[in-house]
């Protein structure tokens, strides 16, 4: 009986959490960011302030979810993110991975799907924060302008968050990476800061309904790994071959780390 009631509460708390996310996004679009636009005229400062607001809001949001009993979380290696110009690559097991990462990364930039630019709950924050719009998507190939936008963001000192899978990991946990992230690393000659995200038991995966909560409270773990240098992949290779080799390496890297292997 206790377990049944506890699970029922987590269904309710999860619904409340999603409602709060939507209402928070709408409030920021209608009140916070219009006010920011009036008070801060310089675009660069306005973007920086908007990103700080989003980071603090996301941090508060994950703490609310923890307080409601929806989840527990831990972040290891957080000090490695206290730098500028990082290319942060992470696996993508759940719907709220972006929220978690952006709650802990200062001056974070990210690639936003074009549909979110017109979503009434998200378009205010993503536009105010100056995130990179994925008009056509870097996909598996060159992604020309998108790759250039990503490199330019890193050169400005932003910390760019990219999920190289392009979408959430399918049920079963088979990770499959696209080459867009490797193209950014190779052409920008940028080291990679990997973050391994785990969720136990699995929830909010691809195609999974939010109300199908697992039998016990989930535990999120974000582990910031040591940087991966790209020079060994670039040396003596074309950009295309270097990106291909780096993608293969990252595929094995994330698969092994996510499954708990060295």
């Amino acid at each position: 009986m206790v377990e049944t009631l506890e699970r029922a509460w987590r269904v309710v708390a999860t619904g409340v959490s999603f409602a709060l996310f939507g209402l928070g996004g709408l409030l920021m679009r209608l009140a916070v960011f219009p006010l920011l636009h009036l008070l801060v005229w310089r675009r660069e400062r306005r973007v920086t302030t908007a990103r700080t607001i989003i980071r603090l809001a996301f941090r508060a949001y994950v703490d609310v979810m923890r307080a409601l009993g929806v989840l527990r979380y831990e972040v290891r290696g957080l000090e490695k993110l206290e730098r500028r110009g990082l290319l942060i690559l992470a696996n993508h097991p759940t719907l709220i991975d972006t929220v978690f990462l952006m709650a802990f990364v200062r001056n974070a930039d990210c690639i936003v799907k074009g549909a979110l630019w017109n979503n009434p709950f998200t378009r205010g924050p993503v536009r105010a924060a100056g995130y990179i719009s994925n008009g056509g998507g870097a996909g598996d190939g060159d992604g020309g302008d998108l790759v250039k936008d990503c490199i330019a963001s890193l050169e400005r000192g932003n910390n760019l968050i990219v999920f190289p899978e392009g979408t959430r990991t399918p049920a079963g946990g088979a990770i499959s990476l696209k080459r867009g992230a490797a193209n950014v690393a190779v052409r920008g000659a940028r080291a990679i800061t990997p973050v391994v995200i785990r969720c136990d038991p699995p929830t909010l995966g691809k195609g999974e309904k939010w109300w199908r909560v697992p039998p016990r409270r989930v535990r999120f773990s974000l582990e910031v790994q040591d940087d991966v240098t790209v020079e060994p992949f670039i040396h003596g290779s074309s950009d295309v071959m270097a990106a291909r080799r780096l993608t293969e390496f990252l595929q094995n890297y994330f698969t092994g780390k996510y499954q708990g292997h060295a």
Side-chain angles (χ1 to χ4, degrees), residues 9 24-25 63 77 87 91-92 106 121 124 143 155 174 188-189 208 215 223 254:
W9 165 250
D63 285 338
L87 175 56
N91 59 311
H92 199 358
R106 295 179 183 273
F121 297 106
E155 290 176 346
E208 190 172 353
E223 187 172 347
F254 276 109

Side-chain angles (χ1 to χ4, degrees), residues 159-203:
N159 292 322
L160 180 64
I161 298 171
V162 181
F163 295 98
E165 293 174 82
T167 186
R168 277 175 284 170
T169 307
I175 294 174
S176 178
L177 305 190
K178 296 179 170 58
R179 289 203 301 270
N183 276 321
V184 175
V186 167
R187 298 187 185 188
R190 289 277 173 170
I192 292 167
T193 303
V195 177
V196 177
I197 302 174
R198 297 182 178 90
C199 178
D200 180 42
T203 188

Side-chain angles (χ1 to χ4, degrees), residues 55-69:
R55 177 174 60 83
L56 295 175
F58 281 177
R59 182 64 179 270
Y61 180 68
V62 298
D63 285 338
V64 165
M65 286 193 291
R66 179 170 61 181
L68 288 173

Side-chain angles (χ1 to χ4, degrees), residues 6-81:
E6 192 268 344
R7 190 170 186 176
W9 165 250
R10 283 189 289 107
V11 173
V12 172
T14 301
V16 170
S17 298
F18 277 96
L20 286 175
F21 186 88
L23 290 173
L26 193 58
L27 176 63
M28 286 195 287
R29 177 201 165 192
L30 296 178
V32 176
F33 291 118
L35 184 61
L36 177 65
H37 191 80
L38 290 174
L39 296 177
V40 183
W41 291 5
R42 289 181 54 194
R43 185 181 184 280
E44 289 183 4
R45 186 171 181 183
R46 190 166 64 242
V47 166
T48 299
T49 304
R51 291 178 179 179
T52 299
I53 291 171
I54 291 171
R55 177 174 60 83
L56 295 175
F58 281 177
R59 182 64 179 270
Y61 180 68
V62 298
D63 285 338
V64 165
M65 286 193 291
R66 179 170 61 181
L68 288 173
V70 174
L71 52 80
R72 294 171 291 178
Y73 72 84
E74 66 171 343
V75 183
R76 288 179 283 179
L78 186 60
E79 70 282 355
K80 298 173 187 175
L81 300 179

